[in-house]
Amino acid sequence: MPGKFNPTQCEALTMVCAQVMGNHVAITVGGSNGHFELNAFKPMIANNLLHSLRLLGDAFASFKKNCMTGIQANRERISKLLHESLMLVTSLKPEAALKLGMQTSEEFDTLVVPKKMIGPSD
């Protein structure tokens, strides 16, 4: 398929996250099963914690090296998607507000800025 990229790094990171979540469940269960101030699950807790830390460290290093390094935004494509987004159709159509006399064209242009609608505001 033209333009397709291989998402192996994203998939690997997702699998690592699933394993870490599983380790977290085991740690939680182990932590809740202490009897008489003695927790026989401490070896399992320590093992799963260390396993998760190693997995996360290795996965982040691999993700950075094989996926993040050198990545650049395709500003032309982003702009095209922004200006052709169906999600913005309603807010970008000033006719109703103008016909009802609720806003002037200048007020609409001041309030409705697509760039402010696609990300966090300052």
Side-chain angles (χ1 to χ4, degrees):
M1 284 186 252
K4 183 179 183 309
F5 67 96
N6 195 347
T8 57
Q9 288 301 308
C10 298
E11 291 168 348
L13 196 55
T14 304
M15 287 185 266
V16 165
C17 291
Q19 180 62 57
V20 168
M21 286 187 269
N23 288 351
H24 175 70
V25 170
I27 290 169
T28 302
V29 171
S32 70
N33 280 299
H35 306 287
F36 306 113
E37 296 183 13
L38 173 67
N39 192 330
F41 290 84
K42 282 184 181 179
M44 182 272 299
I45 292 170
N47 181 63
N48 281 338
L49 178 61
L50 293 173
H51 183 227
S52 291
L53 293 172
R54 278 191 299 271
L55 277 173
L56 288 170
D58 291 347
F60 292 148
S62 177
F63 189 79
K64 180 182 175 191
K65 175 185 171 195
N66 298 306
C67 186
M68 288 178 50
T69 301
I71 196 168
Q72 293 181 3
N74 183 340
R75 295 189 185 282
E76 183 180 323
R77 177 86 171 132
I78 292 169
S79 179
K80 182 179 184 317
L81 292 174
L82 167 66
H83 291 94
E84 295 177 7
S85 171
L86 291 177
M87 301 303 289
L88 299 175
V89 160
T90 302
S91 63
L92 295 178
K93 290 295 185 184
E95 283 86 359
L98 296 175
K99 283 181 184 176
L100 294 172
M102 300 182 77
Q103 288 180 328
T104 66
S105 180
E106 293 78 23
E107 288 173 328
F108 183 86
D109 291 339
T110 302
L111 294 172
V112 180
V113 181
K115 285 184 179 181
K116 290 182 179 178
M117 297 178 191
I118 61 169
S121 60
D122 294 333

Short mmCIF file of all heavy atoms in Angstrom, two decimals, residues 9 59-70:
data_model
loop_
_atom_site.label_atom_id
_atom_site.label_comp_id
_atom_site.label_asym_id
_atom_site.label_seq_id
_atom_site.Cartn_x
_atom_site.Cartn_y
_atom_site.Cartn_z
N GLN A 9 6.95 -0.03 16.20
CA GLN A 9 7.37 0.59 17.45
C GLN A 9 6.18 0.97 18.32
O GLN A 9 6.20 0.80 19.53
CB GLN A 9 8.26 1.81 17.19
CG GLN A 9 9.63 1.47 16.67
CD GLN A 9 10.41 0.58 17.62
OE1 GLN A 9 10.55 0.88 18.80
NE2 GLN A 9 10.92 -0.52 17.12
N ALA A 59 11.79 -0.03 26.34
CA ALA A 59 10.80 0.33 25.33
C ALA A 59 10.91 1.80 24.95
O ALA A 59 10.84 2.15 23.77
CB ALA A 59 9.39 0.01 25.83
N PHE A 60 11.09 2.68 25.93
CA PHE A 60 11.20 4.10 25.63
C PHE A 60 12.47 4.40 24.83
O PHE A 60 12.45 5.20 23.90
CB PHE A 60 11.17 4.94 26.89
CG PHE A 60 9.83 4.94 27.59
CD1 PHE A 60 9.76 5.04 28.96
CD2 PHE A 60 8.64 4.83 26.88
CE1 PHE A 60 8.54 5.04 29.61
CE2 PHE A 60 7.42 4.83 27.52
CZ PHE A 60 7.36 4.93 28.89
N ALA A 61 13.55 3.74 25.17
CA ALA A 61 14.80 3.94 24.43
C ALA A 61 14.63 3.49 22.98
O ALA A 61 15.05 4.17 22.05
CB ALA A 61 15.94 3.19 25.11
N SER A 62 14.00 2.33 22.78
CA SER A 62 13.77 1.82 21.42
C SER A 62 12.82 2.72 20.64
O SER A 62 13.04 3.02 19.47
CB SER A 62 13.21 0.40 21.48
OG SER A 62 12.92 -0.07 20.19
N PHE A 63 11.76 3.18 21.31
CA PHE A 63 10.78 4.05 20.66
C PHE A 63 11.43 5.36 20.23
O PHE A 63 11.21 5.84 19.12
CB PHE A 63 9.61 4.31 21.60
CG PHE A 63 8.46 5.02 20.96
CD1 PHE A 63 7.56 4.32 20.17
CD2 PHE A 63 8.26 6.37 21.15
CE1 PHE A 63 6.49 4.96 19.57
CE2 PHE A 63 7.19 7.03 20.56
CZ PHE A 63 6.30 6.32 19.77
N LYS A 64 12.25 5.91 21.10
CA LYS A 64 12.93 7.16 20.77
C LYS A 64 13.88 6.96 19.58
O LYS A 64 13.85 7.73 18.63
CB LYS A 64 13.71 7.67 21.97
CG LYS A 64 14.45 8.96 21.70
CD LYS A 64 15.25 9.41 22.90
CE LYS A 64 16.07 10.63 22.53
NZ LYS A 64 17.05 10.96 23.53
N LYS A 65 14.68 5.90 19.63
CA LYS A 65 15.67 5.65 18.58
C LYS A 65 15.02 5.33 17.25
O LYS A 65 15.43 5.83 16.20
CB LYS A 65 16.58 4.50 19.02
CG LYS A 65 17.58 4.08 17.95
CD LYS A 65 18.36 2.86 18.40
CE LYS A 65 19.20 2.32 17.26
NZ LYS A 65 19.69 0.98 17.51
N ASN A 66 14.00 4.46 17.26
CA ASN A 66 13.44 3.93 16.02
C ASN A 66 12.18 4.63 15.53
O ASN A 66 11.69 4.31 14.44
CB ASN A 66 13.14 2.44 16.19
CG ASN A 66 14.40 1.66 16.47
OD1 ASN A 66 15.36 1.75 15.73
ND2 ASN A 66 14.39 0.91 17.55
N CYS A 67 11.65 5.56 16.31
CA CYS A 67 10.41 6.21 15.88
C CYS A 67 10.45 7.72 16.03
O CYS A 67 10.09 8.46 15.12
CB CYS A 67 9.22 5.64 16.66
SG CYS A 67 7.62 6.23 16.09
N MET A 68 10.90 8.21 17.17
CA MET A 68 10.82 9.64 17.44
C MET A 68 11.94 10.46 16.82
O MET A 68 11.72 11.57 16.35
CB MET A 68 10.80 9.90 18.95
CG MET A 68 9.51 9.51 19.61
SD MET A 68 9.50 9.74 21.39
CE MET A 68 10.09 11.39 21.59
N THR A 69 13.14 9.91 16.81
CA THR A 69 14.28 10.66 16.30
C THR A 69 14.09 10.98 14.82
O THR A 69 13.87 10.10 14.00
CB THR A 69 15.59 9.88 16.51
OG1 THR A 69 15.74 9.62 17.91
CG2 THR A 69 16.78 10.66 16.00
N GLY A 70 14.16 12.25 14.50
CA GLY A 70 14.03 12.69 13.11
C GLY A 70 12.61 12.91 12.63
O GLY A 70 12.40 13.33 11.50
#
